[in-house]
Amino acid sequence: MSFEALLFQAVNGFASASGLFLVAAGLSIIFGVTRIVNMAHGSFYMLGLYLAVTLAPLLGETFGGALGFWGGILGAALVTAALGALVEVVLLRRIYAAPELYQLLATFALLLIINDATLYFWGPEDILGPQAPGLSGSVEFLGRRLPEYDIFLALMGPIVLIVLHITLTRTRFGRLIRAATQDRDMVAALGINEALLFTAVFALGTGIAGFGGALQMAREPANLALDLSVLGDAFVVVVVGGMGSIRGAYLAALLVAEVKALCTALGLVEVGGFTFNMSRLTLVAEFLVMAVVLVLRPHGLFGRPQPAQARRGEAEAPLVPLGRTGRLIALAVLVCFAGIPLLGAVASYAPVLALDMVIAALFAASLHLLMGPGGLASFGHAAYFGLGAYGTAYAATVLGLPTPLAFAVGMATAAAGAVLFGWFCVRLEGVYFAMLTLAFAQIVWSIAHQWEEVTGGSNGLFGVWPDPPFDSANGLYLAALGVTVLGLALIRRLVFAPFGLALRAARDSRLRAEASGIAVEKVRWLAFAIAGTLCGAAGGLFAFAKGSISPEAISVGRSIDGLVMVLLGGVHSLMGPLLGAGGLTLLQDMVMRESPYWRGLLGLIILLIVLIFPSGLAAGLPRKRGAP
C-alpha cells in the first residue's frame, strides 16, 4: 500500500467524520442538558434521510433541481426538529421524574415505533435520492478520483462545529445550554423556564441529526437499518470525545473515521508470517477505539466527571426477603412451570415457549444482579451469553464432550471473559461503564463473526444437540428449569449476604462505602464475574435449545432485550427481571404473529407500561392495587 493511497483514504475519511459528527453533536447536546440517553436519536437521523429523498424531488419539480435538492435537506432538518420538539413535549416531559434508565427504555420504545412508522409510510425497499446539482462530479487527487460531494461533506463538519461553538459561547441560548450542562439544578433555581429550554435543546439536537441524515442523500439510500447502525456509532463518538463536549465529538468522529479508512486502505497485512485482513476490522474499529480510550481516559478525550445530581424518583426501599405469602406464590409458580411438560400432549408449543421464558429469566436475572444491587447498567451483557453459547457448542460439536461437560465449558468460557472484561469495566461509572461493556460485547461479536475456524463465521455452529436424557423437549426443559432455579437461588443468597449489602452500599455511595473499608472495585468485579458466568449458563442452554448458535443471536439486540426485560419488570425487585423476561417473551411471541408492524406495536406496549408503571411492573402493580 503506497503512501499516496493511505493519504487518499485519510482525506476521504473526513467526509465520513462529518456525518458521524452531525449525528453525535445533537446526541451530545441533548444528553448534556437533559441527561437522557436518547436511544431514538438514530431514528431522527434516519427520518431526515427519508424526508430528504421525498422532499427533494417534490421541490425540484416546482423550483428546479438545485433548489429542490438543498430545499429538501433544509426542509428535512426543520421537520425532524419539529418532531423532536413534539416528542419532548408529549412524551419525555412526562417521564423526567422517572429514573434515568426508564427514560432510556421509553426512548427505545420510541425507536421501535418510529421504525415501523417509517416502514408503513415508505415501505421496506431502499430509496435512492437525487445527486447534488453541481457536485455530482469528481476531482483528481493523488492519482485517484475524489467525489466533489465528499469534499463538500468534509467541509460541512468543521463549518457546523464553528457555528455550534459560536452559538454556545456568544449567545444567551448557548450560555443557558452550557449552564444547564454544568449545573441543571442551579439553572432551575435562577428562574429559567426549564421546560422551554429542554424543548428547544431537544429540537436542536434532533434537527442536527436530521440535517446529518439528509446530507447523506447523495451518498447512500434511505433504509430501515440506519437507526440502530448510526446510533451505535453516535454513542461511540460522544463517549470517546467526552459526554457534552462538542469539540470532543468532532475529534472523536475524525479519529473513528480515520481508523476505519486506515483499515480499509491497509487491506491484507503480513506480520511474522501471518496474514491479517485489516479491512475486516471496520466492523468493530469504532468499538476498539472506544475501549482503548476509556481504559486510558475513563471520561473520554475531553470529558469531565459529571456533577452530582439530585436523585430522581422515589427513594429506594431496602430489599426484603419474601414473606410467607410470597414464598407460597413462588412455590406455586415453580410447580406450574414444572408441570408444563404435562401439557405437551394438548399444547405442543407450551414446552418450547416455556423453555424460552426460562432461559430469558436466567439471562435477565444475571443482568439484574449488576443493574439492581450493583447499580451498573451493562449495555453489553450479550457478550457472556455468546461466550457461554459458543463455548458450549464448540465443546459439544468439535471436542465431542458429553452434555454436562460441554455446558460446564461454556460457563467457564463466559466466566473467563467476564473476569477479563470486568477488570477494566468496574473502574468506570455511569454511561462510561455502560459503553465500555458495549465495546467489549461488539468485540466478542466481531470475533464470532470472523473467526471461521472456531466459530463457523457468519454461519455459526450447527448440530448442538444434547445427549440423553436431555435430548427430548421435556428432558431439556426440566434441566433448564433446574439450572435456572439454582441460578436464581444463588443470586438471592448473594443479595441478602454481606456481599450483597456491600454491593448495594457501593451503589448508593461509593465514597461512603470506601470510607467504611469496602473494596468497591473488588466487590463489583466479583459481581461482574458471577453475573457473566450465570449469563453464560443461559447462553449454553440457548445453544442446546436451538441446536445452533450464530453471531446474530449474540448481537447488540440481545443486550437490548436484557435491558428491556429488567426495566419492564423493575430494577428494584428481585422478582422484576422474572416478570420482565416472561412478559417480553410472551409479548414478542404474540405480537410477532399478529402484525407485520410488530416492532411498533411492541414499542407502544412498552411505552404504555413505562408511563403507567415508571418503576417497573414489580414495583408498580402492588401500588396500583393499593391505590384508593
Side-chain angles (χ1 to χ4, degrees):
M1 176 62 64
S2 65
F3 174 75
E4 290 78 9
L6 287 174
L7 184 59
F8 178 86
Q9 288 292 341
V11 172
N12 197 38
F14 277 86
S16 299
S18 292
L20 285 175
F21 168 68
L22 287 174
V23 67
L27 183 63
S28 182
I29 292 172
I30 290 173
F31 176 83
V33 175
T34 67
R35 295 293 186 271
I36 287 181
V37 180
N38 182 18
M39 295 290 288
H41 196 70
S43 301
F44 291 99
Y45 177 95
M46 179 185 71
L47 280 177
L49 181 51
Y50 270 99
L51 288 168
V53 299
T54 302
L55 292 174
L58 294 176
L59 295 176
E61 294 176 359
T62 305
F63 302 105
L67 287 177
F69 182 86
W70 302 111
I73 291 176
L74 180 60
L78 293 175
V79 172
T80 52
L83 289 174
L86 181 64
V87 165
E88 196 280 335
V89 171
V90 174
L91 172 61
L92 298 182
R93 193 171 292 182
R94 300 174 182 272
I95 58 172
Y96 280 133
E100 292 178 357
L101 285 174
Y102 286 91
Q103 297 170 359
L104 180 147
L105 181 59
T107 59
F108 172 70
L110 185 63
L111 179 149
L112 297 177
I113 294 170
I114 292 176
N115 188 277
D116 264 9
T118 306
L119 172 64
Y120 177 81
F121 287 109
W122 280 282
E125 301 296 329
D126 293 359
I127 303 177
L128 293 170
Q131 294 296 310
L135 295 174
S136 57
S138 60
V139 297
E140 187 173 347
F141 180 72
L142 298 175
R144 297 171 180 241
R145 306 300 299 181
L146 186 64
E148 293 174 343
Y149 194 72
D150 283 6
I151 299 175
F152 166 77
L153 288 180
L155 295 174
M156 282 302 301
I159 291 173
V160 173
L161 174 62
I162 293 171
V163 172
L164 285 176
H165 176 74
I166 293 173
T167 301
L168 294 175
T169 57
R170 305 291 179 85
T171 67
R172 184 175 184 273
F173 177 58
R175 288 192 291 271
L176 288 177
I177 290 178
R178 288 189 295 128
T181 300
Q182 295 177 12
D183 194 336
R184 189 175 61 187
D185 294 332
M186 182 59 69
V187 169
L190 292 174
I192 303 299
N193 189 332
E194 197 177 35
L196 182 59
L197 177 63
F198 282 16
T199 302
V201 165
F202 208 85
L204 175 63
T206 54
I208 294 173
F211 179 65
L215 284 175
Q216 301 300 313
M217 175 168 50
R219 293 190 81 204
E220 62 178 317
N223 64 86
L224 294 170
L226 276 175
D227 49 2
L228 279 178
S229 63
V230 168
L231 180 67
D233 290 342
F235 274 131
V236 169
V237 169
V238 170
V239 170
V240 170
M243 300 296 288
S245 173
I246 301 300
R247 175 184 58 172
Y250 180 73
L251 291 178
L254 191 59
L255 176 62
V256 169
E258 292 300 338
V259 168
K260 283 192 170 186
L262 180 63
C263 291
T264 301
L266 290 175
L268 295 176
V269 176
E270 290 190 9
V271 179
F274 294 94
T275 301
F276 298 93
N277 188 351
M278 297 297 293
S279 60
R280 289 186 173 184
L281 288 180
T282 55
L283 289 174
V284 74
E286 62 268 38
F287 296 100
L288 289 171
V289 170
M290 181 169 68
V292 172
V293 169
L294 289 183
V295 168
L296 299 178
R297 294 185 62 86
H299 295 98
L301 297 175
F302 295 93
R304 292 176 294 180
Q306 294 294 334
Q309 299 288 332
R311 186 181 180 93
R312 296 185 184 181
E314 300 178 4
E316 180 182 344
L319 291 172
V320 293
L322 288 175
R324 183 172 181 273
T325 302
R327 290 195 296 269
L328 289 175
I329 293 175
L331 180 61
V333 171
L334 178 59
V335 170
C336 290
F337 269 86
I340 282 180
L342 301 177
L343 300 176
V346 293
S348 58
Y349 187 59
V352 177
L353 181 59
L355 179 58
D356 289 341
M357 294 175 66
V358 165
I359 295 172
L362 182 57
F363 176 53
S366 66
L367 177 59
H368 178 264
L369 179 62
L370 290 177
M371 293 180 62
L376 301 170
S378 172
F379 286 5
H381 208 55
Y384 316 104
F385 187 89
L387 287 172
Y390 271 101
T392 298
Y394 186 84
T397 57
V398 179
L399 301 181
L401 296 180
T403 295
L405 284 180
F407 184 66
V409 168
M411 291 183 64
T413 304
V419 168
L420 174 62
F421 297 150
W423 189 84
F424 296 99
C425 292
V426 296
R427 285 159 171 74
L428 305 182
E429 301 277 353
V431 175
Y432 295 100
F433 169 87
M435 294 307 296
L436 187 56
T437 61
L438 175 61
F440 285 133
Q442 290 303 101
I443 292 170
V444 170
W445 173 84
S446 177
I447 293 172
H449 195 275
Q450 299 185 46
W451 197 5
E452 296 183 1
E453 296 79 6
V454 174
T455 64
S458 59
N459 293 323
L461 296 175
F462 294 88
V464 192
W465 302 115
D467 301 325
F470 311 109
D471 55 340
S472 66
N474 290 340
L476 180 60
Y477 168 73
L478 291 175
L481 180 62
V483 170
T484 299
V485 170
L486 289 176
L488 297 177
L490 174 62
I491 291 174
R492 182 185 180 281
R493 176 63 178 167
L494 289 173
V495 167
F496 292 109
F499 168 77
L501 298 178
L503 188 61
R504 280 182 276 166
R507 175 200 64 189
D508 294 336
S509 176
R510 177 171 184 152
L511 292 177
R512 291 181 180 178
E514 289 176 340
S516 301
I518 297 174
V520 170
E521 288 188 1
K522 290 183 179 179
V523 170
R524 288 179 170 178
W525 189 19
L526 180 57
F528 199 101
I530 294 171
T533 304
L534 293 175
C535 184
L541 293 173
F542 179 88
F544 282 131
K546 305 303 179 184
S548 63
I549 184 65
S550 65
E552 287 74 18
I554 65 168
S555 64
V556 67
R558 180 73 57 180
S559 295
I560 292 176
D561 283 348
L563 287 168
V564 173
M565 291 174 192
V566 173
L567 295 174
L568 273 182
V571 177
H572 307 313
S573 167
L574 292 179
M575 296 300 296
L578 307 185
L579 288 174
L584 183 64
T585 303
L586 286 173
L587 279 176
Q588 288 178 330
D589 181 73
M590 292 187 297
V591 172
M592 287 178 65
R593 290 184 293 173
E594 292 296 327
S595 170
Y597 304 104
W598 63 271
R599 291 180 185 86
L601 185 57
L602 178 62
L604 184 60
I605 294 172
I606 293 174
L607 193 57
L608 290 174
I609 292 175
V610 171
L611 292 174
I612 298 173
F613 306 108
S615 295
L617 292 172
L621 287 174
R623 294 177 187 173
K624 293 295 181 182
R625 281 202 308 269

